[in-house]
Amino acid sequence: MQLVDDVEPYELMKLRLLNGSHQAMAYLGALAGHTHVHDVCQDPLFRRFLHGYLDEEATPTLPPVPGIDLDSYKADLVGRFANPTVRDTLARLCAESSDRMPKFLLPVLRANLASGGSIRCSVAVLAGWARYAEGVGEDGRPIEVVDPLRERLMAAARRQGEDPLAFVADRELFGDLVDDERFTAAYRTTLELIREQGTRAALEELLRRP
């Protein structure tokens, strides 16, 4: 056990690395046909994407975390996620998104928008949530969206064909993100890739970009 004077760096580490990783895997992994967390983390494409989120986007937003080797912490996280004996489901991680995303992933996105840092992975996660909320998978099967704001989210997601920003225009959830031109340009492009080419092809394209 480690006793510390300031718990905030450790709380942010958990929120943005552990919990944020859950969101990074959940919607995109489910859309691509995976069922369990370990399936996603054993998929080389998704493993690259997860490392991109952790290393390029989440970690730069953290203050120093005394006594913690962040590279080791992240390696341990991904190793645990890839363990097939845990049997954690993506459906569980996709539930209650309207409560989880504003706490875990949106702060990372906002911090990188403010600093000029990388946003491609965070934007892809958000676009994946928006596509997931349409309620139909890439295989044509229905998706059971579990969220207290289910009807509102699904109604917005289903308008995306005509208005690509319909989902993120909800200011109660996303604040002024829709006013940020860098965000909206990246989001439009990523959502279009996911909706038209599918999740795997979209991630492959995104990860090829500098």
Side-chain angles (χ1 to χ4, degrees):
M1 180 180 294
Q2 185 177 2
L3 299 178
V4 297
D5 295 326
D6 182 6
V7 299
E8 183 177 5
Y10 303 89
E11 291 176 344
L12 285 176
M13 178 183 73
K14 176 182 180 295
L15 291 172
R16 298 186 180 184
L17 299 184
L18 170 61
N19 300 119
S21 290
H22 282 164
Q23 300 302 288
M25 292 185 286
Y27 317 99
L28 296 166
L31 288 170
H34 290 305
T35 301
H36 291 91
V37 171
H38 67 265
D39 295 326
V40 176
C41 282
Q42 290 176 9
D43 183 323
L45 175 63
F46 278 88
R47 206 171 170 105
R48 281 175 57 213
F49 177 78
L50 181 58
H51 280 294
Y53 166 74
L54 287 169
D55 296 337
E56 299 170 19
E57 299 186 25
T59 301
T61 72
L62 296 175
V65 188
I68 300 293
D69 182 327
L70 288 178
D71 288 336
S72 295
Y73 178 81
K74 289 181 288 187
D76 288 345
L77 274 185
V78 177
R80 271 189 281 151
F81 293 153
N83 185 345
T85 64
V86 177
R87 307 295 294 176
D88 198 4
T89 67
L90 295 179
R92 183 186 75 81
L93 301 185
C94 289
E96 316 294 336
S97 307
S98 63
D99 180 59
R100 294 178 174 185
M101 288 285 273
K103 297 176 183 175
F104 305 151
L105 189 120
L106 292 186
V108 171
L109 174 59
R110 290 183 183 281
N112 284 314
L113 283 169
S115 69
S118 176
I119 61 170
R120 62 179 176 173
C121 293
S122 297
V123 167
V125 177
L126 189 49
W129 177 25
R131 171 63 185 86
Y132 181 91
E134 291 179 13
V136 180
E138 293 179 357
D139 58 3
R141 296 181 182 179
I143 291 173
E144 179 61 32
V145 176
V146 178
D147 194 284
L149 303 181
R150 178 179 184 273
E151 299 303 324
R152 178 168 135 199
L153 293 171
M154 294 185 73
R158 287 170 175 165
R159 295 198 305 273
Q160 292 177 139
E162 296 75 39
D163 178 6
L165 299 179
F167 192 79
V168 293
D170 186 332
R171 292 180 182 272
E172 191 174 330
L173 276 176
F174 301 108
D176 60 358
L177 272 181
V178 74
D179 299 325
D180 188 300
E181 293 183 3
R182 183 184 175 210
F183 166 73
T184 56
Y187 179 82
R188 283 175 182 270
T189 299
T190 305
L191 181 62
E192 181 179 4
L193 280 172
I194 292 172
R195 296 186 82 241
E196 295 188 359
Q197 298 185 26
T199 301
R200 294 195 70 87
L203 292 187
E204 286 168 356
E205 173 65 23
L206 289 171
L207 290 174
R208 278 196 294 268
R209 297 176 181 177

